[in-house]
Amino acid sequence: MSLADDKLLEQSKSGDIEAFEQLISLYEKKVYSIAYRFMGSHEDASDLAQEAMLKAYRAIKKFRGDASFKTWLYHITANVCRDELRKRSKRRETSLDEPLVFEEGEVTRETPDWTNVPEQVYEDKELQDYLHGLIQALTPEYKMVVVMREIQGLSYEEISQQMDCSLGTVKSRLSRARKMLKDKILADREQSNKVRSLKR
Amino acid sequence: MACQDYQQLLSAYIDDALSETEAGQLENHLDSCESCRQELGDLKDTILMLQSLDEVEPPAEFHQKLCRRLETEKQSKVLRPSLVNRLVRSPWLPLSAAAALVLIVVVSFGVTMLFRPMGSTQLADHAPAEYSRSEAKDSARNAELPPQGEGDDGNQQFGIASDEMDKSSVVENEQFERKVIQRAQFSVKVDDVPDSEQKLRNITDSLGGYIQSANINKGGNERYFASLTLRIPQSQFDAAVTQIKELGEVINSSTSGDDVTQQYYDTEARLRIMRQEERSLLKLLEKADKMEDIMQVRRELSQIRQNIEVKESELKRLDQLTSLSTIDVSLQEVEVQGHQITATGISGVWSRTMTAFILSTNRLIKGIGNMVIGLGSILPLLLLLAALGLMVFALRRFRAKRKVE
Ligand SMILES: [Zn+2]
C-alpha cells in the first residue's frame, strides 16, 4: 500500500466518502472477481461485491491495520459470500421442490456437460468459462474451500478460521475438491478427444 | 499404506502442509510409484489452471451503483435519530436509571399493597401512578433496542465488531420531538349525564380538540348513559384527563402510550433518502440516450415512486395518530342512595340519622384507609432511607474506630 493509499485510508476513516470510493476503486475488480467465483453469476457477484464494500465502509473505523487494507477487504468479501452461500444451501435443503439431500461426502451437484473442452486450454476465454462452471458445480462447502485457496490464496489456517472448521477438515475438503476437479477435467478431455477423432 | 492413502496426501503435499514424516514417506513412495507420480502431476496441472483464472471485469454500471449505495448509506447514517445512542451517551443515564429503579420499586410496592376493593376513588387516584410505571417500562424497552448496525461476520481477527454503524455522525443538538400514540379510557359516574356530556363537549372545545363520536341513551331504569370518543391535541392530554376526572367518580380508567418515535423518524429518514434517489434517477434520465438505459431508469424510477408513496402514507397515518390523543369516556348516572333510604315519618328521621352516621363513619374509615395506603406506598422509600442511614452510620463508626486504633 502506497503512501497515497494510506492517506486515502485515513480520510476514509474520518468519514470522507469520496476518499473511500477512491480507495476501493483500486480493489474493486479483485473484490468483484472473488464474489464472481464464489457466486457464479454476474448478478450475484454485483450484489455481494457491493454488499462487501458497504460493510467495509461501515467498519472502516474499526480497521486497525493489523493486516493490509486489501487483505481485510478480501476477507470481508469472502465472509459475505460465505454467508450467502450457506443461506442458500440451507434454503435449498429445506425446499420442498427439491427434496434432494446430498449424500455424505458427495462433492458435486450436477456437473456441467462439457463435451467440447477447448484445445488451446491455457489462454482461451472458453477455458475460463469452463473452469468457472466446474467450480460452480461443487457443493457450497467445497466450492468455498477451492475459491479461498486457489483464487484468494489463503492459507489453511485462514480458511479454517473463515469456515469455522478444523484444519483437518480444510485439508480433506480441499483434497477431495481438487481430485474431483482433476478427474472431471481428465474425463472431459478424453471425451472431447473422442468427439474430435470421430469428427475427423 | 496403499496408493489410495498416499494419493489423499497429495493435495496437502503440494501446499507444503504435511508433517515431515508424512512428506518423507510420501516422497519415498513417489520414487517407486509411477501412477501416484502421474496423479501428482495431474493435480498440479489442475491447481495451476484454477490459479490462472483471470480477474473478472465488473459490469459498466457497477461503480456508479456502488457509489450511489454508499451515498445512501451515508445519508441514512446522518439522518437516523439514534435515541438509544443519545440516551447512552447522556451523562444523566446512571442517575435516571437509578431514579427509574426507585420509582418502579415504590410504585409496584404501592400498587401491590393497595387494597383494591376498598373504594373506587383509590383506583382513580392511582391511575396516574400506573401510567407512569408503564412509561418507565417504555423507556426501559427503548434502551434495550438493539443497535442499528447490521450483525457481522464474527471476524475477530480483524476486529470487526457487530455494531459497525458509526453513530458519531448523528447530527447533534437536533431536536427530536417524541412521537407517542396516546390513548385513554375512563368510566365516570356522574349525577346528571346530559349535563356532564355538555361539560365534556366544552372541555374538548376549550382544549382545541373535537368529538369523534358520541352516543347518549336512556336505560331501562330511567337512567342515562353516554359514551364519547374525544380527540384531544397531544399537548392537552393531561389537562383533559384532569378535567374528565372532575366530572364525577371515576370507576374505571386506563391509559396507554405507544412510543413510535423511532419508527417515525426511521420512516422519515427513509423517505428523504428515497426522494434523493428519485432526484438522482431523474438526472440520470436526462443524461441517458440509449433506449435500453432509459427503460432501465424508468423502471427504477417507478419502483422508487411506489415506495415513496407507501412511506408517505405511513408517515401521514403516524402523524394523525400522534398529534391527537384518543380518549374514550363513558358516563353513567349515579344511583342516588339517599332516595332508596328515604322514608317517611319518625322512622324516616331515624334512618336519615343512621345514614348520616354510617356515611360519616365510612368517611372516617376511608380516611384511615387512605392514610394506611399512603404510608404503605412510601414504606419502601422509608426502608431504603433507613438502610442508607444505617450504612452511613456504620461506616462512620468504623472509621472512627480505626482512627482510635
Ligand atoms: Zn502409488
Side-chain angles (χ1 to χ4, degrees), chain B residues 86 100 199 251 340:
Chain B
R86 289 152 161 277
K199 276 187 195 154
I251 52 174
Q340 284 164 346

Side-chain angles (χ1 to χ4, degrees), chain B residues 142-165:
Chain B
N142 275 342
E144 277 164 21
L145 279 179
Q148 296 288 341
E150 272 172 60
D152 205 289
D153 350 75
N155 194 342
Q156 297 131 337
Q157 196 194 355
F158 296 99
I160 307 171
S162 55
D163 54 339
E164 258 92 74
M165 286 300 289

Side-chain angles (χ1 to χ4, degrees), chain B residues 61 64-65 68-69 71-72 272-289 292-308:
Chain B
E61 74 279 4
Q64 201 182 11
K65 252 189 181 164
R68 221 162 65 203
R69 278 182 80 177
E71 290 291 337
T72 310
R272 256 183 278 184
I273 292 159
M274 286 194 285
R275 287 207 178 112
Q276 190 168 358
E277 192 157 4
E278 185 193 13
R279 276 196 296 276
S280 58
L281 280 171
L282 281 171
K283 267 187 210 150
L284 220 61
L285 194 61
E286 279 170 29
K287 282 187 212 151
D289 38 16
E292 202 185 309
D293 294 346
I294 292 173
M295 293 307 287
Q296 175 69 24
V297 175
R298 282 246 168 97
R299 262 198 300 276
E300 280 187 42
L301 202 58
S302 83
Q303 182 61 45
I304 200 116
R305 279 181 173 159
Q306 265 177 30
N307 293 344
I308 286 175

Side-chain angles (χ1 to χ4, degrees), chain B residues 2-4 6-7 29-30 32-37:
Chain B
C3 279
Q4 237 189 338
Y6 282 116
Q7 289 180 5
H29 176 77
L30 284 172
S32 62
C33 180
E34 167 69 30
S35 79
C36 284
R37 273 207 302 278

Side-chain angles (χ1 to χ4, degrees), chain A residues 89-103:
Chain A
S89 72
K90 235 178 246 164
R91 209 181 300 147
R92 194 184 308 274
E93 273 162 30
T94 53
S95 153
L96 284 175
D97 307 318
E98 221 169 339
L100 176 83
V101 177
F102 301 123
E103 278 168 41

Side-chain angles (χ1 to χ4, degrees), chain B residues 179-219:
Chain B
K179 297 282 182 185
V180 180
I181 300 175
Q182 198 87 262
R183 280 192 153 271
Q185 185 270 323
F186 293 94
S187 298
V188 190
K189 267 189 180 172
V190 296
D191 295 331
D192 184 356
V193 166
D195 178 55
S196 295
E197 196 211 343
Q198 188 53 53
K199 276 187 195 154
L200 217 44
R201 287 179 185 274
N202 295 344
I203 292 169
T204 308
D205 270 354
S206 71
L207 295 176
Y210 66 94
I211 308 274
Q212 189 171 295
S213 68
N215 269 307
I216 181 157
N217 285 299
K218 209 171 205 179

